[in-house]
Amino acid sequence: MEARVAAGAPRVDEESGLLPRPRAPAAGGRRPPSSFAAAPRRAPPPPPAIWATVDGPLGMPLEDAEGHARRFFLWGFACLPFLWAINCCYFWPVLRSPKASSPAAFAPIRPYVVKSAIGFTIFAAVLLTWATTFIIGGERLFGPVWNDLVMYNVADKLGLTGFMG
């Protein structure tokens, strides 16, 4: 590439395809006047926007967030505990921010999201314990009742497996 560059043309960085940054003037060289020295100071940038959902600006406004969090929490009791997990994921910024340093806008949403996290944790522990009991215990744990509990035996008793083979 060295041979192809004209004497006065700027060199292009081969990796990024961008022009190189200008170098600082040499110690003995003259420094060009800076047009930035007389520029007025800028106002500090506004604080970042606060979003209660993981969608950020595409999500719902804070006014609607409390109603949605409450609905997800209450419907979780209607045998839909995975709504608690969805509530925790969707309102992750509320759940993640510490209570002491969280914005005041999160205060009405926080109880529903925290209770949803607790509810889903309890549900997941009960479900995991139940599944592990049946997987590991099996017939040794339940004895002769196991034949009545196992689903494939119920299908045989009801004649639902005749079409398979």
Side-chain angles (χ1 to χ4, degrees):
M1 173 127 182
E2 299 284 335
R4 288 184 277 162
V5 175
R11 298 165 84 185
V12 176
D13 185 9
E14 290 182 26
E15 289 182 25
S16 65
L18 301 174
L19 294 173
R21 297 180 116 188
R23 294 184 181 173
R30 200 171 143 208
R31 205 170 133 200
S34 175
S35 61
F36 297 109
R41 289 188 172 185
R42 293 183 185 169
I50 299 171
W51 301 102
T53 62
V54 293
D55 296 338
L58 299 175
M60 69 182 70
L62 285 170
E63 296 83 31
D64 299 338
E66 181 184 1
H68 283 278
R70 181 177 46 250
R71 275 186 233 117
F72 276 123
F73 174 67
L74 294 176
W75 278 101
F77 286 108
C79 297
L80 300 169
F82 284 106
L83 285 178
W84 289 332
I86 292 170
N87 201 12
C88 293
C89 292
Y90 192 60
F91 292 104
W92 180 250
V94 175
L95 188 63
R96 185 187 63 178
S97 67
K99 187 175 183 177
S101 65
S102 66
F106 289 174
I109 304 167
R110 176 176 288 286
Y112 298 114
V113 179
V114 170
K115 290 175 187 176
S116 293
I118 293 168
F120 182 72
T121 302
I122 292 170
F123 164 74
V126 169
L127 182 66
L128 187 64
T129 303
W130 176 78
T132 306
T133 301
F134 276 87
I135 290 170
I136 294 175
E139 195 169 359
R140 292 182 313 228
L141 181 65
F142 293 101
V145 179
W146 178 252
N147 291 331
D148 295 330
L149 295 174
V150 180
M151 197 60 168
Y152 60 82
N153 287 342
V154 173
D156 284 338
K157 289 178 186 176
L158 296 176
L160 298 176
T161 58
F163 63 89
M164 293 162 109

